[in-house]
Amino acid sequence: CEKGHQWRHALNLLHEMRQGGVQPDVLSHNAAISACDKARHWKMALGLLVEMEHVVLQPSAISYDKTINACRNGQQWHLALRLLE
């Protein structure tokens, strides 16, 4: 999903995992965040990071890196800087 910039497919996979009773892990979320970053969908990337925290997943450095990059690419510098705090 990440390499093909298929961010919708990545989000659908996360949804299907949940529907099938499988809790997506940090790696699954990171792949979706990365796909959103590459497609320049900073809101989706940020939403996935927030979602991770709500389902008690500890975001990794990669989670933050990709989300910060998505915010930067979307010219949302204030959000990128807040994630660095």
Side-chain angles (χ1 to χ4, degrees), residues 17-35:
M17 288 174 74
R18 285 187 215 98
Q19 293 296 326
V22 176
Q23 179 61 43
D25 61 6
V26 173
L27 293 176
S28 303
H29 277 83
N30 285 351
I33 289 171
S34 185

Side-chain angles (χ1 to χ4, degrees), residues 2-78:
E2 173 186 339
K3 293 187 184 347
H5 303 283
Q6 298 178 6
W7 62 277
R8 284 189 180 120
H9 185 63
L11 295 178
N12 285 336
L13 285 174
L14 287 179
H15 178 74
E16 288 176 16
M17 288 174 74
R18 285 187 215 98
Q19 293 296 326
V22 176
Q23 179 61 43
D25 61 6
V26 173
L27 293 176
S28 303
H29 277 83
N30 285 351
I33 289 171
S34 185
C36 290
D37 170 28
K38 290 178 190 237
R40 304 214 184 265
H41 288 286
W42 65 270
K43 288 181 185 178
M44 294 290 182
L46 190 58
L48 288 167
L49 184 70
V50 169
E51 176 184 297
M52 289 175 74
E53 295 168 349
H54 281 123
V55 296
V56 195
L57 283 176
Q58 179 64 44
S60 68
I62 292 171
S63 309
Y64 284 103
D65 176 64
K66 295 298 184 183
T67 305
I68 288 167
N69 196 51
C71 290
R72 181 184 60 84
N73 287 335
Q75 298 187 8
Q76 301 298 313
W77 296 102
H78 64 287

